[in-house]
Amino acid sequence: MPVSAATESKLREAMARLLAGEPLHTDGALTKENLAREAKVSHATVHRAEGVLAEWDAKIARPVLRTPGEVQRDEAITDLRSRLREANSRVTELQGKLDALATVTANLYYENLELKKKTSAQGQRRIAALPASGPWLE
């Protein structure tokens, strides 16, 4: 279903304002949604106006470019996300090592307690040599 002549006229005027960089109702980005907003018609109406839409597509052949500030912001966000992923990976690795060391420390603590009990039970007798097996050999 084609659009009325009045609607087509509103769309062409809105397109002219957007292309001239003088929008009245939008931020000026060259998008079909802004074309609809600038003309104060629905997005569906823009797509029914095939002639205006073809003209829009011919004039806006390239994608909307980002400003240098937006590019810098997006690059900074990408860099920060990458650094955060690396930091989280490192934290996970170190947490695993910490857990392993805590387990070893707890085992050594209890082995030490057992050895102290054995030595105190044997009186003041000293241990002549370390046993041939144990975690200290690993």
Side-chain angles (χ1 to χ4, degrees):
M1 169 196 268
V3 295
S4 68
T7 301
E8 188 172 329
S9 174
K10 286 171 36 175
L11 285 167
R12 290 190 189 286
E13 289 171 8
M15 183 176 7
R17 286 194 304 272
L18 285 172
L19 293 173
E22 301 170 351
L24 300 177
H25 309 290
T26 65
D27 61 3
L30 300 177
T31 63
K32 291 175 186 172
E33 180 147 346
N34 273 353
L35 177 61
R37 284 184 186 154
E38 189 67 27
K40 294 189 175 182
V41 298
S42 72
H43 192 70
T45 301
V46 170
H47 286 281
R48 284 195 311 268
E50 294 173 0
V52 175
L53 196 56
E55 187 178 326
W56 176 265
D57 288 339
K59 290 183 179 183
I60 311 298
R62 59 178 162 48
V64 177
L65 298 177
R66 297 178 295 164
T67 65
E70 291 172 328
V71 171
Q72 283 180 332
R73 178 204 61 205
D74 292 346
E75 288 173 353
I77 289 170
T78 301
D79 179 54
L80 289 172
R81 284 183 178 152
S82 172
R83 289 173 45 197
L84 180 60
R85 261 191 311 277
E86 290 170 9
N88 284 340
S89 174
R90 182 75 174 135
V91 165
T92 302
E93 175 189 343
L94 292 174
Q95 186 63 50
K97 288 181 179 181
L98 181 62
D99 292 345
L101 289 172
T103 302
V104 169
T105 302
N107 287 336
L108 289 173
Y109 174 77
Y110 288 111
E111 284 181 21
N112 192 23
L113 286 179
E114 289 299 316
L115 289 172
K116 284 182 180 181
K117 285 180 188 176
K118 284 182 185 178
T119 56
S120 67
Q122 294 174 354
Q124 295 297 326
R125 199 172 115 201
R126 296 182 184 257
I127 298 175
L130 290 174
S133 65
W136 53 86
L137 295 176
E138 293 177 8

mmCIF file of all heavy atoms in Angstrom, residues 28-69:
data_model
loop_
_atom_site.group_PDB
_atom_site.id
_atom_site.type_symbol
_atom_site.label_atom_id
_atom_site.label_comp_id
_atom_site.label_asym_id
_atom_site.label_seq_id
_atom_site.Cartn_x
_atom_site.Cartn_y
_atom_site.Cartn_z
ATOM 1 N N GLY A 28 19.930 13.812 14.475
ATOM 2 C CA GLY A 28 20.605 14.062 13.205
ATOM 3 C C GLY A 28 21.292 12.862 12.602
ATOM 4 O O GLY A 28 21.839 12.946 11.504
ATOM 5 N N ALA A 29 21.287 11.709 13.278
ATOM 6 C CA ALA A 29 21.900 10.507 12.717
ATOM 7 C C ALA A 29 21.118 10.092 11.475
ATOM 8 O O ALA A 29 19.886 10.183 11.431
ATOM 9 C CB ALA A 29 21.900 9.372 13.740
ATOM 10 N N LEU A 30 21.838 9.664 10.466
ATOM 11 C CA LEU A 30 21.205 9.315 9.196
ATOM 12 C C LEU A 30 20.722 7.863 9.224
ATOM 13 O O LEU A 30 21.315 6.972 8.619
ATOM 14 C CB LEU A 30 22.185 9.552 8.042
ATOM 15 C CG LEU A 30 22.674 10.994 7.904
ATOM 16 C CD1 LEU A 30 23.694 11.131 6.788
ATOM 17 C CD2 LEU A 30 21.506 11.935 7.668
ATOM 18 N N THR A 31 19.608 7.658 9.901
ATOM 19 C CA THR A 31 19.000 6.334 9.987
ATOM 20 C C THR A 31 17.547 6.428 9.532
ATOM 21 O O THR A 31 16.939 7.504 9.562
ATOM 22 C CB THR A 31 19.030 5.799 11.433
ATOM 23 O OG1 THR A 31 18.246 6.654 12.255
ATOM 24 C CG2 THR A 31 20.456 5.720 11.972
ATOM 25 N N LYS A 32 17.001 5.285 9.132
ATOM 26 C CA LYS A 32 15.601 5.262 8.696
ATOM 27 C C LYS A 32 14.675 5.590 9.865
ATOM 28 O O LYS A 32 13.644 6.223 9.676
ATOM 29 C CB LYS A 32 15.264 3.898 8.096
ATOM 30 C CG LYS A 32 15.978 3.664 6.783
ATOM 31 C CD LYS A 32 15.727 2.273 6.262
ATOM 32 C CE LYS A 32 16.577 2.035 5.022
ATOM 33 N NZ LYS A 32 16.512 0.644 4.579
ATOM 34 N N GLU A 33 15.053 5.167 11.039
ATOM 35 C CA GLU A 33 14.232 5.480 12.207
ATOM 36 C C GLU A 33 14.186 6.995 12.429
ATOM 37 O O GLU A 33 13.134 7.561 12.727
ATOM 38 C CB GLU A 33 14.783 4.783 13.449
ATOM 39 C CG GLU A 33 13.956 5.104 14.655
ATOM 40 C CD GLU A 33 13.887 3.958 15.638
ATOM 41 O OE1 GLU A 33 14.243 2.831 15.288
ATOM 42 O OE2 GLU A 33 13.456 4.243 16.754
ATOM 43 N N ASN A 34 15.329 7.662 12.284
ATOM 44 C CA ASN A 34 15.342 9.125 12.429
ATOM 45 C C ASN A 34 14.565 9.794 11.302
ATOM 46 O O ASN A 34 13.951 10.841 11.510
ATOM 47 C CB ASN A 34 16.767 9.657 12.487
ATOM 48 C CG ASN A 34 17.328 9.642 13.886
ATOM 49 O OD1 ASN A 34 16.627 9.354 14.847
ATOM 50 N ND2 ASN A 34 18.596 9.951 14.018
ATOM 51 N N LEU A 35 14.587 9.197 10.122
ATOM 52 C CA LEU A 35 13.797 9.743 9.011
ATOM 53 C C LEU A 35 12.317 9.725 9.387
ATOM 54 O O LEU A 35 11.604 10.711 9.198
ATOM 55 C CB LEU A 35 14.036 8.938 7.729
ATOM 56 C CG LEU A 35 13.220 9.354 6.505
ATOM 57 C CD1 LEU A 35 13.518 10.801 6.112
ATOM 58 C CD2 LEU A 35 13.493 8.412 5.340
ATOM 59 N N ALA A 36 11.873 8.608 9.968
ATOM 60 C CA ALA A 36 10.468 8.509 10.401
ATOM 61 C C ALA A 36 10.171 9.518 11.507
ATOM 62 O O ALA A 36 9.137 10.204 11.464
ATOM 63 C CB ALA A 36 10.176 7.093 10.885
ATOM 64 N N ARG A 37 11.046 9.628 12.466
ATOM 65 C CA ARG A 37 10.822 10.581 13.568
ATOM 66 C C ARG A 37 10.820 12.017 13.071
ATOM 67 O O ARG A 37 10.009 12.837 13.515
ATOM 68 C CB ARG A 37 11.909 10.423 14.627
ATOM 69 C CG ARG A 37 11.735 9.212 15.486
ATOM 70 C CD ARG A 37 12.794 9.172 16.558
ATOM 71 N NE ARG A 37 12.718 7.932 17.309
ATOM 72 C CZ ARG A 37 13.729 7.386 17.940
ATOM 73 N NH1 ARG A 37 14.908 7.976 17.934
ATOM 74 N NH2 ARG A 37 13.575 6.266 18.592
ATOM 75 N N GLU A 38 11.757 12.313 12.188
ATOM 76 C CA GLU A 38 11.867 13.675 11.653
ATOM 77 C C GLU A 38 10.614 14.050 10.871
ATOM 78 O O GLU A 38 10.150 15.193 10.916
ATOM 79 C CB GLU A 38 13.115 13.793 10.778
ATOM 80 C CG GLU A 38 13.456 15.190 10.344
ATOM 81 C CD GLU A 38 13.886 16.109 11.486
ATOM 82 O OE1 GLU A 38 14.419 15.630 12.505
ATOM 83 O OE2 GLU A 38 13.685 17.332 11.344
ATOM 84 N N ALA A 39 10.047 13.077 10.151
ATOM 85 C CA ALA A 39 8.829 13.332 9.374
ATOM 86 C C ALA A 39 7.579 13.178 10.225
ATOM 87 O O ALA A 39 6.470 13.464 9.747
ATOM 88 C CB ALA A 39 8.772 12.374 8.188
ATOM 89 N N LYS A 40 7.750 12.702 11.459
ATOM 90 C CA LYS A 40 6.631 12.446 12.369
ATOM 91 C C LYS A 40 5.639 11.454 11.770
ATOM 92 O O LYS A 40 4.422 11.669 11.777
ATOM 93 C CB LYS A 40 5.947 13.747 12.768
ATOM 94 C CG LYS A 40 6.823 14.647 13.604
ATOM 95 C CD LYS A 40 6.037 15.808 14.165
ATOM 96 C CE LYS A 40 6.931 16.600 15.094
ATOM 97 N NZ LYS A 40 6.228 17.713 15.713
ATOM 98 N N VAL A 41 6.210 10.344 11.251
ATOM 99 C CA VAL A 41 5.399 9.232 10.752
ATOM 100 C C VAL A 41 5.933 7.956 11.382
ATOM 101 O O VAL A 41 7.009 7.946 11.989
ATOM 102 C CB VAL A 41 5.443 9.126 9.205
ATOM 103 C CG1 VAL A 41 4.862 10.375 8.567
ATOM 104 C CG2 VAL A 41 6.843 8.865 8.705
ATOM 105 N N SER A 42 5.205 6.865 11.230
ATOM 106 C CA SER A 42 5.653 5.608 11.815
ATOM 107 C C SER A 42 6.777 5.004 10.976
ATOM 108 O O SER A 42 6.948 5.325 9.800
ATOM 109 C CB SER A 42 4.492 4.617 11.913
ATOM 110 O OG SER A 42 4.159 4.141 10.629
ATOM 111 N N HIS A 43 7.489 4.107 11.610
ATOM 112 C CA HIS A 43 8.575 3.399 10.921
ATOM 113 C C HIS A 43 8.003 2.570 9.768
ATOM 114 O O HIS A 43 8.611 2.457 8.704
ATOM 115 C CB HIS A 43 9.317 2.512 11.929
ATOM 116 C CG HIS A 43 10.595 1.965 11.437
ATOM 117 N ND1 HIS A 43 11.712 2.731 11.217
ATOM 118 C CD2 HIS A 43 10.944 0.694 11.096
ATOM 119 C CE1 HIS A 43 12.692 1.969 10.774
ATOM 120 N NE2 HIS A 43 12.247 0.726 10.691
ATOM 121 N N ALA A 44 6.819 2.006 9.960
ATOM 122 C CA ALA A 44 6.176 1.207 8.914
ATOM 123 C C ALA A 44 5.838 2.075 7.710
ATOM 124 O O ALA A 44 5.951 1.629 6.558
ATOM 125 C CB ALA A 44 4.919 0.541 9.470
ATOM 126 N N THR A 45 5.436 3.320 7.971
ATOM 127 C CA THR A 45 5.103 4.230 6.872
ATOM 128 C C THR A 45 6.326 4.499 6.007
ATOM 129 O O THR A 45 6.226 4.547 4.778
ATOM 130 C CB THR A 45 4.535 5.554 7.434
ATOM 131 O OG1 THR A 45 3.373 5.260 8.197
ATOM 132 C CG2 THR A 45 4.186 6.524 6.327
ATOM 133 N N VAL A 46 7.474 4.642 6.622
ATOM 134 C CA VAL A 46 8.709 4.855 5.858
ATOM 135 C C VAL A 46 8.928 3.682 4.908
ATOM 136 O O VAL A 46 9.283 3.863 3.744
ATOM 137 C CB VAL A 46 9.930 5.022 6.800
ATOM 138 C CG1 VAL A 46 11.229 5.009 6.018
ATOM 139 C CG2 VAL A 46 9.815 6.297 7.601
ATOM 140 N N HIS A 47 8.692 2.483 5.377
ATOM 141 C CA HIS A 47 8.924 1.299 4.540
ATOM 142 C C HIS A 47 7.852 1.119 3.466
ATOM 143 O O HIS A 47 8.095 0.436 2.471
ATOM 144 C CB HIS A 47 9.038 0.049 5.420
ATOM 145 C CG HIS A 47 10.347 0.017 6.152
ATOM 146 N ND1 HIS A 47 11.515 -0.378 5.563
ATOM 147 C CD2 HIS A 47 10.673 0.393 7.413
ATOM 148 C CE1 HIS A 47 12.510 -0.278 6.434
ATOM 149 N NE2 HIS A 47 12.020 0.195 7.564
ATOM 150 N N ARG A 48 6.699 1.738 3.640
ATOM 151 C CA ARG A 48 5.684 1.693 2.586
ATOM 152 C C ARG A 48 5.966 2.734 1.503
ATOM 153 O O ARG A 48 5.513 2.584 0.385
ATOM 154 C CB ARG A 48 4.293 1.924 3.178
ATOM 155 C CG ARG A 48 3.750 0.711 3.900
ATOM 156 C CD ARG A 48 2.257 0.831 4.157
ATOM 157 N NE ARG A 48 1.849 2.099 4.738
ATOM 158 C CZ ARG A 48 1.736 2.347 6.048
ATOM 159 N NH1 ARG A 48 2.012 1.402 6.915
ATOM 160 N NH2 ARG A 48 1.343 3.527 6.472
ATOM 161 N N ALA A 49 6.721 3.766 1.829
ATOM 162 C CA ALA A 49 7.066 4.811 0.857
ATOM 163 C C ALA A 49 8.268 4.346 0.051
ATOM 164 O O ALA A 49 9.396 4.796 0.261
ATOM 165 C CB ALA A 49 7.343 6.119 1.573
ATOM 166 N N GLU A 50 8.046 3.443 -0.877
ATOM 167 C CA GLU A 50 9.137 2.787 -1.595
ATOM 168 C C GLU A 50 10.004 3.764 -2.380
ATOM 169 O O GLU A 50 11.226 3.622 -2.425
ATOM 170 C CB GLU A 50 8.584 1.699 -2.507
ATOM 171 C CG GLU A 50 7.949 0.563 -1.728
ATOM 172 C CD GLU A 50 7.246 -0.442 -2.619
ATOM 173 O OE1 GLU A 50 7.249 -0.255 -3.857
ATOM 174 O OE2 GLU A 50 6.699 -1.405 -2.073
ATOM 175 N N GLY A 51 9.393 4.767 -2.999
ATOM 176 C CA GLY A 51 10.162 5.734 -3.781
ATOM 177 C C GLY A 51 11.106 6.553 -2.900
ATOM 178 O O GLY A 51 12.290 6.734 -3.206
ATOM 179 N N VAL A 52 10.585 7.032 -1.778
ATOM 180 C CA VAL A 52 11.388 7.819 -0.837
ATOM 181 C C VAL A 52 12.475 6.934 -0.235
ATOM 182 O O VAL A 52 13.631 7.352 -0.096
ATOM 183 C CB VAL A 52 10.499 8.429 0.269
ATOM 184 C CG1 VAL A 52 11.342 9.135 1.314
ATOM 185 C CG2 VAL A 52 9.476 9.369 -0.330
ATOM 186 N N LEU A 53 12.117 5.709 0.081
ATOM 187 C CA LEU A 53 13.067 4.781 0.678
ATOM 188 C C LEU A 53 14.205 4.450 -0.293
ATOM 189 O O LEU A 53 15.373 4.397 0.105
ATOM 190 C CB LEU A 53 12.354 3.504 1.118
ATOM 191 C CG LEU A 53 13.099 2.599 2.075
ATOM 192 C CD1 LEU A 53 13.518 3.349 3.328
ATOM 193 C CD2 LEU A 53 12.242 1.403 2.442
ATOM 194 N N ALA A 54 13.886 4.278 -1.557
ATOM 195 C CA ALA A 54 14.921 4.008 -2.562
ATOM 196 C C ALA A 54 15.845 5.222 -2.692
ATOM 197 O O ALA A 54 17.075 5.069 -2.801
ATOM 198 C CB ALA A 54 14.278 3.678 -3.898
ATOM 199 N N GLU A 55 15.277 6.387 -2.671
ATOM 200 C CA GLU A 55 16.084 7.613 -2.747
ATOM 201 C C GLU A 55 16.982 7.735 -1.505
ATOM 202 O O GLU A 55 18.151 8.105 -1.603
ATOM 203 C CB GLU A 55 15.144 8.820 -2.857
ATOM 204 C CG GLU A 55 15.846 10.129 -3.114
ATOM 205 C CD GLU A 55 14.855 11.273 -3.259
ATOM 206 O OE1 GLU A 55 13.751 11.061 -3.783
ATOM 207 O OE2 GLU A 55 15.211 12.388 -2.830
ATOM 208 N N TRP A 56 16.428 7.432 -0.341
ATOM 209 C CA TRP A 56 17.196 7.454 0.909
ATOM 210 C C TRP A 56 18.373 6.486 0.823
ATOM 211 O O TRP A 56 19.505 6.840 1.154
ATOM 212 C CB TRP A 56 16.285 7.099 2.075
ATOM 213 C CG TRP A 56 16.991 6.989 3.394
ATOM 214 C CD1 TRP A 56 17.471 5.860 3.968
ATOM 215 C CD2 TRP A 56 17.321 8.049 4.286
ATOM 216 N NE1 TRP A 56 18.073 6.146 5.173
ATOM 217 C CE2 TRP A 56 17.991 7.484 5.383
ATOM 218 C CE3 TRP A 56 17.101 9.413 4.267
ATOM 219 C CZ2 TRP A 56 18.445 8.242 6.454
ATOM 220 C CZ3 TRP A 56 17.549 10.169 5.329
ATOM 221 C CH2 TRP A 56 18.223 9.582 6.414
ATOM 222 N N ASP A 57 18.104 5.261 0.382
ATOM 223 C CA ASP A 57 19.156 4.255 0.283
ATOM 224 C C ASP A 57 20.245 4.667 -0.709
ATOM 225 O O ASP A 57 21.421 4.384 -0.503
ATOM 226 C CB ASP A 57 18.566 2.891 -0.115
ATOM 227 C CG ASP A 57 17.769 2.258 1.023
ATOM 228 O OD1 ASP A 57 17.988 2.640 2.198
ATOM 229 O OD2 ASP A 57 16.922 1.389 0.742
ATOM 230 N N ALA A 58 19.862 5.346 -1.783
ATOM 231 C CA ALA A 58 20.851 5.801 -2.760
ATOM 232 C C ALA A 58 21.734 6.904 -2.178
ATOM 233 O O ALA A 58 22.938 6.946 -2.434
ATOM 234 C CB ALA A 58 20.147 6.311 -4.019
ATOM 235 N N LYS A 59 21.154 7.778 -1.385
ATOM 236 C CA LYS A 59 21.924 8.880 -0.818
ATOM 237 C C LYS A 59 22.732 8.448 0.409
ATOM 238 O O LYS A 59 23.777 9.019 0.696
ATOM 239 C CB LYS A 59 20.995 10.036 -0.441
ATOM 240 C CG LYS A 59 20.429 10.717 -1.660
ATOM 241 C CD LYS A 59 19.574 11.885 -1.302
ATOM 242 C CE LYS A 59 19.074 12.532 -2.601
ATOM 243 N NZ LYS A 59 18.298 13.718 -2.380
ATOM 244 N N ILE A 60 22.234 7.469 1.112
ATOM 245 C CA ILE A 60 22.921 6.976 2.303
ATOM 246 C C ILE A 60 23.451 5.582 1.967
ATOM 247 O O ILE A 60 23.006 4.576 2.507
ATOM 248 C CB ILE A 60 21.965 6.914 3.522
ATOM 249 C CG1 ILE A 60 21.208 8.200 3.703
ATOM 250 C CG2 ILE A 60 22.722 6.547 4.792
ATOM 251 C CD1 ILE A 60 22.084 9.409 3.974
ATOM 252 N N ALA A 61 24.426 5.526 1.092
ATOM 253 C CA ALA A 61 24.947 4.238 0.629
ATOM 254 C C ALA A 61 25.924 3.629 1.628
ATOM 255 O O ALA A 61 26.170 2.439 1.611
ATOM 256 C CB ALA A 61 25.633 4.410 -0.719
ATOM 257 N N ARG A 62 26.498 4.440 2.475
ATOM 258 C CA ARG A 62 27.468 3.913 3.440
ATOM 259 C C ARG A 62 26.829 3.843 4.813
ATOM 260 O O ARG A 62 25.885 4.564 5.106
ATOM 261 C CB ARG A 62 28.716 4.784 3.466
ATOM 262 C CG ARG A 62 28.439 6.222 3.832
ATOM 263 C CD ARG A 62 29.718 7.029 3.884
ATOM 264 N NE ARG A 62 29.592 8.444 3.824
ATOM 265 C CZ ARG A 62 28.796 9.228 4.500
ATOM 266 N NH1 ARG A 62 27.930 8.723 5.319
ATOM 267 N NH2 ARG A 62 28.807 10.524 4.377
ATOM 268 N N PRO A 63 27.344 2.988 5.671
ATOM 269 C CA PRO A 63 26.781 2.894 7.010
ATOM 270 C C PRO A 63 27.066 4.163 7.818
ATOM 271 O O PRO A 63 27.965 4.928 7.487
ATOM 272 C CB PRO A 63 27.514 1.698 7.631
ATOM 273 C CG PRO A 63 28.752 1.542 6.818
ATOM 274 C CD PRO A 63 28.437 2.066 5.453
ATOM 275 N N VAL A 64 26.296 4.356 8.833
ATOM 276 C CA VAL A 64 26.460 5.526 9.699
ATOM 277 C C VAL A 64 27.801 5.406 10.418
ATOM 278 O O VAL A 64 28.120 4.378 11.017
ATOM 279 C CB VAL A 64 25.305 5.601 10.721
ATOM 280 C CG1 VAL A 64 25.494 6.764 11.666
ATOM 281 C CG2 VAL A 64 23.980 5.694 9.989
ATOM 282 N N LEU A 65 28.608 6.450 10.320
ATOM 283 C CA LEU A 65 29.930 6.445 10.941
ATOM 284 C C LEU A 65 29.841 6.933 12.384
ATOM 285 O O LEU A 65 29.006 7.767 12.727
ATOM 286 C CB LEU A 65 30.878 7.352 10.149
ATOM 287 C CG LEU A 65 31.118 6.938 8.702
ATOM 288 C CD1 LEU A 65 32.012 7.962 8.020
ATOM 289 C CD2 LEU A 65 31.746 5.561 8.627
ATOM 290 N N ARG A 66 30.726 6.410 13.193
ATOM 291 C CA ARG A 66 30.791 6.850 14.583
ATOM 292 C C ARG A 66 31.740 8.043 14.676
ATOM 293 O O ARG A 66 32.690 8.157 13.910
ATOM 294 C CB ARG A 66 31.294 5.717 15.471
ATOM 295 C CG ARG A 66 30.355 4.527 15.480
ATOM 296 C CD ARG A 66 30.872 3.411 16.316
ATOM 297 N NE ARG A 66 32.108 2.894 15.711
ATOM 298 C CZ ARG A 66 32.976 2.131 16.332
ATOM 299 N NH1 ARG A 66 32.788 1.787 17.569
ATOM 300 N NH2 ARG A 66 34.050 1.695 15.728
ATOM 301 N N THR A 67 31.500 8.884 15.644
ATOM 302 C CA THR A 67 32.376 10.034 15.853
ATOM 303 C C THR A 67 33.704 9.538 16.436
ATOM 304 O O THR A 67 33.764 8.441 17.007
ATOM 305 C CB THR A 67 31.737 11.042 16.828
ATOM 306 O OG1 THR A 67 31.624 10.421 18.104
ATOM 307 C CG2 THR A 67 30.380 11.509 16.335
ATOM 308 N N PRO A 68 34.773 10.340 16.318
ATOM 309 C CA PRO A 68 36.054 9.921 16.908
ATOM 310 C C PRO A 68 35.950 9.636 18.403
ATOM 311 O O PRO A 68 36.579 8.720 18.911
ATOM 312 C CB PRO A 68 36.979 11.107 16.630
ATOM 313 C CG PRO A 68 36.397 11.763 15.423
ATOM 314 C CD PRO A 68 34.907 11.575 15.545
ATOM 315 N N GLY A 69 35.137 10.406 19.110
ATOM 316 C CA GLY A 69 34.950 10.165 20.541
ATOM 317 C C GLY A 69 34.299 8.812 20.806
ATOM 318 O O GLY A 69 34.672 8.099 21.733
#
